[in-house]
Amino acid sequence: MTQTTETIATPEDIQPTRPSRTRVHRAWFVAAVTFVTIIGAAAFRSLPGLLIDPLHQEFDWSRGTIGAAVSINLALYGLTAPFAAALMDRFGIRRVVAVALTVIALGSGVTVWMTAAWQLMLCWGLLVGLGSGSMALAFAATVTNRWFTERRGLVTGILTAASASGQLIFLPLLSWIVEKHDWRPAAVTVALAALAVVPFVWLLLRDHPADVGLKPYGAKEFVEKPAPVPGAARRAVTVLVSAMRTGPFWLLAGSFAICGASTNGLIQTHFVPAAHDHGMPITTAASLLAVIGVFDVLGTIASGWFTDRFESRRLLAIYYAFRGLSLLFLPLLLVSPSVQPPMIFFIVFYGLDWVATVPPTLALCREHYGDDSAIVFGWVLASHQVGAALVAFLGGMARDTFGSYDVVWYASGALCAVAALMSLVIRRRPVGRVAVAV
């Protein structure tokens, strides 16, 4: 009688042999699938900075025009994220991610036939922006929140580093393709990379630990899979309205906007053409950007480890302060067409700091907004991408107007100092979970 009772005791026993035979929790395999998925999707993020000069030469479009298309992409990357997080609650992670990768492939592939600037804005700006927004860090936040109750900072750092790993893999390849075979084969390569990940996602990714009869990693009790949440768009907006009534949201959104302005909008978009202005070959400049990706992986994982152990707002202040300081020195390093030791130091230092801000920012969202943290973080990420979009556009305009990027480097450095101060102002005590009316 006792044996019969034990056989049907708990939901974990849906697959009774798996827990006893598997030393590694299934959550780590899901995290690995998510990591590889983000790497594949990161290919598209490696290309915009490499396209500015080729498109300018072929179509005679101004750098401001090309920057506008990139800014649309970056803005939608952020603005789509909170809705994508809500859609994942409604339809599941697998479906949303698979559709997003397909849209990225479509937008990138169609650009090979474009002949007008509005087509660049439609394909690379709108389609790739929407698809990539659904593959944004809100995806990583959703996976982390569902599958882990322990090691969340570390996992967030690892998944955030996946984007940098994709940049590391694709930047040298795409820069070589652009230089040797023009920009169209590079766009096709991005499309194929996104498509290649779709079956991988569909077959291996799972939406929730309950789908395979497991507890989240580190959880003491089994967690039932929540029912699909209808009204994804309404929920995303409702969470935003509630979060906007709290001070931490504005401080997190403002500082993260500066984060996006000083990374994706500035360095990722304009570093290669800025270095090329001073005679550095495109492949060399792209390789330096890829090296940033190498150290970004190390820095982000380390930041996740730090986030599990130290106060998040102080970590953010340190990251922003050092980033701003490094940007103020960059104009002095770009005067030589060759790679000098000071430039290597900047690349290493900046790489360690690139997206180290993500784990503590997400931790603060989780601390203040509880179960709605993935959607709130999606809106904070939207501010990140709006900041990136503004600088992607204004950086191109500044180059057209002043003939150099110097004013943009200095302005971004000063803004990072403001972000450091904003981080310190965030209150330590949580304000409680944001109420959501569904």
Side-chain angles (χ1 to χ4, degrees), residues 199-224:
F200 189 72
V201 168
W202 193 256
L203 295 174
L204 299 179
L205 193 63
R206 291 295 179 268
D207 291 332
H208 196 278
D211 290 342
V212 289
L214 294 175
K215 295 181 293 187
Y217 179 82
K220 296 180 179 179
E221 298 180 355
F222 184 84
V223 179
E224 295 288 347

Side-chain angles (χ1 to χ4, degrees), residues 82-437:
F83 296 97
L87 286 172
M88 288 177 188
D89 288 340
R90 176 66 178 88
F91 297 105
I93 297 174
R94 282 198 304 173
R95 293 178 182 176
V96 174
V97 173
V99 171
L101 287 166
T102 303
V103 172
I104 291 172
L106 176 64
S108 180
V110 171
T111 57
V112 300
W113 291 291
M114 69 181 178
T115 57
W118 68 266
Q119 294 167 344
L120 175 66
M121 296 180 186
L122 174 64
C123 296
W124 201 265
L126 179 63
L127 292 179
V128 177
L130 289 173
S132 62
S134 300
M135 290 292 301
L137 293 174
F139 168 43
T142 301
V143 170
T144 304
N145 288 348
R146 290 186 181 185
W147 282 89
F148 293 86
T149 58
E150 293 182 355
R151 308 294 185 188
R152 281 178 168 175
L154 177 62
V155 174
T156 301
I158 293 172
L159 296 183
T160 303
S163 181
S165 301
Q167 176 176 291
L168 167 65
I169 293 170
F170 287 104
L171 256 178
L173 173 63
L174 293 176
S175 64
W176 179 82
I177 293 174
V178 169
E179 186 173 61
K180 300 295 183 182
H181 304 286
D182 200 18
W183 62 270
R184 288 180 176 84
V188 173
T189 301
V190 169
L192 294 177
L195 280 179
V197 183
V198 173
F200 189 72
V201 168
W202 193 256
L203 295 174
L204 299 179
L205 193 63
R206 291 295 179 268
D207 291 332
H208 196 278
D211 290 342
V212 289
L214 294 175
K215 295 181 293 187
Y217 179 82
K220 296 180 179 179
E221 298 180 355
F222 184 84
V223 179
E224 295 288 347
K225 182 178 181 179
V229 180
R234 183 180 65 178
R235 184 182 178 214
V237 173
T238 302
V239 169
L240 172 64
V241 172
S242 298
M244 287 173 64
R245 299 192 183 107
T246 66
F249 173 80
W250 292 105
L251 293 169
L252 287 169
S255 60
F256 220 42
I258 295 173
C259 178
S262 57
T263 53
N264 300 79
L266 183 63
I267 298 295
Q268 186 167 331
T269 303
H270 295 293
F271 178 81
V272 172
H276 190 56
D277 282 347
H278 293 277
M280 185 179 292
I282 291 178
T283 51
T284 302
S287 296
L288 290 176
L289 203 55
V291 173
I292 287 180
V294 175
F295 289 94
D296 182 14
V297 174
L298 300 175
T300 308
I301 294 175
S303 179
W305 188 86
F306 290 144
T307 301
D308 286 332
R309 289 160 175 80
F310 301 104
E311 190 178 346
S312 296
R313 65 193 192 103
R314 294 188 183 276
L315 289 175
L316 285 177
I318 293 171
Y319 297 155
Y320 286 126
F322 280 114
R323 180 186 300 176
L325 188 64
S326 66
L327 286 173
L328 295 177
F329 284 98
L330 184 56
L332 301 176
L333 306 179
L334 286 173
V335 295
S336 174
S338 60
V339 180
Q340 302 295 327
M343 175 60 78
I344 296 176
F345 178 80
F346 169 83
I347 293 297
V348 173
F349 183 85
Y350 200 86
L352 291 172
D353 190 67
W354 180 274
V355 287
T357 55
V358 172
T361 300
L362 180 53
L364 287 169
C365 286
R366 191 180 296 119
E367 175 185 330
H368 287 273
Y369 303 105
D371 292 340
D372 299 320
S373 60
I375 297 178
V376 173
F377 180 71
W379 285 113
V380 172
L381 179 63
S383 71
H384 180 282
Q385 295 307 118
V386 170
L390 285 173
V391 172
F393 173 67
L394 294 176
M397 293 291 291
R399 172 60 179 80
D400 291 335
T401 303
F402 301 109
S404 76
Y405 288 99
D406 287 357
V407 65
V408 187
W409 307 131
Y410 294 133
S412 297
L415 285 173
C416 286
V418 175
L421 293 175
M422 293 175 70
S423 300
L424 290 175
V425 174
I426 299 173
R427 288 183 292 177
R428 295 183 185 181
R429 195 161 52 90
V431 298
R433 179 175 178 242
V434 175
V436 177

